[in-house]
Amino acid sequence: MWFFLLSQSSIQYHCSTTSEEKKTAEQKAYDKAKDIIEKLKKGEDFSKLAKEYSKDSTTASKGGALGKINKGDYADEVFEALKNLKDGSYSTSPVKSSYGYHIVYRISQDKKAELNDELTKEIKTTIGKEIADESGFSVKAL
């Protein structure tokens, strides 16, 4: 899956930060993410917005580009939001994770390989031979 991530890292956790300060910082990050989504709805370019607003300097410099990702590469909440998007669409509400708020833009998803009967038979044969080789069995057929 290819997608961009516009990250609004929300809360700076310092020893002296009170729960009220954390709550205020989180609300501020959420509001900023909503403002950015409104800009996207008006047709502004995702890459430009990511460069301007993302707190993740590594991806911000690339316009939010993350490249291909798999489950486990990023926060579960981000991946789940990504799965629910169609190619060419972005999240219409901020996605919250332990890292802050994110706006996810899905570019495309690789097509999954299809298993036909011939391929399934070939896989079973290969695995069967590997098991037999590892087990020290000799196989003969009549």
Side-chain angles (χ1 to χ4, degrees):
M1 292 184 193
W2 286 88
F3 77 101
F4 289 130
L5 180 68
L6 179 65
S7 178
Q8 282 294 318
S9 296
S10 59
I11 305 166
Q12 299 291 325
Y13 290 99
H14 300 288
C15 293
S16 61
T17 304
T18 67
S19 62
E20 190 59 37
E21 289 171 326
K22 290 176 188 177
K23 187 176 178 181
T24 300
E26 186 173 347
Q27 184 62 49
K28 191 174 182 180
Y30 177 82
D31 292 342
K32 177 54 88 177
K34 290 287 285 183
D35 290 344
I36 295 167
I37 290 170
E38 288 305 312
K39 290 177 185 245
L40 288 168
K41 287 179 182 177
K42 291 178 182 174
E44 291 196 38
D45 183 66
F46 190 97
S47 295
K48 288 180 183 175
L49 292 171
K51 287 177 182 178
E52 183 177 347
Y53 292 105
S54 181
K55 302 295 183 190
D56 180 354
S57 59
T58 304
T59 60
S61 63
K62 298 184 244 174
L66 297 176
K68 290 185 178 188
I69 70 157
N70 294 300
K71 186 172 178 71
D73 290 346
Y74 291 90
D76 290 342
E77 300 88 348
V78 171
F79 194 81
E80 288 303 313
L82 174 63
K83 282 185 0 183
N84 293 321
L85 293 174
K86 293 183 182 195
D87 290 353
S89 64
Y90 57 86
S91 52
T92 56
S93 61
V95 177
K96 184 179 180 181
S97 78
S98 59
Y99 301 103
Y101 286 98
H102 313 277
I103 301 165
V104 181
Y105 177 64
R106 177 171 159 168
I107 298 171
S108 66
Q109 179 178 0
D110 292 344
K111 291 187 178 185
K112 295 178 183 175
E114 294 183 24
L115 290 177
N116 57 35
D117 291 339
E118 186 177 318
L119 186 56
T120 302
K121 183 178 177 181
E122 184 180 327
I123 291 169
K124 286 179 180 179
T125 300
T126 301
I127 292 172
K129 286 180 182 176
E130 288 178 6
I131 291 171
D133 288 344
E134 290 175 7
S135 302
F137 292 110
S138 296
V139 179
K140 291 186 178 182
L142 292 175

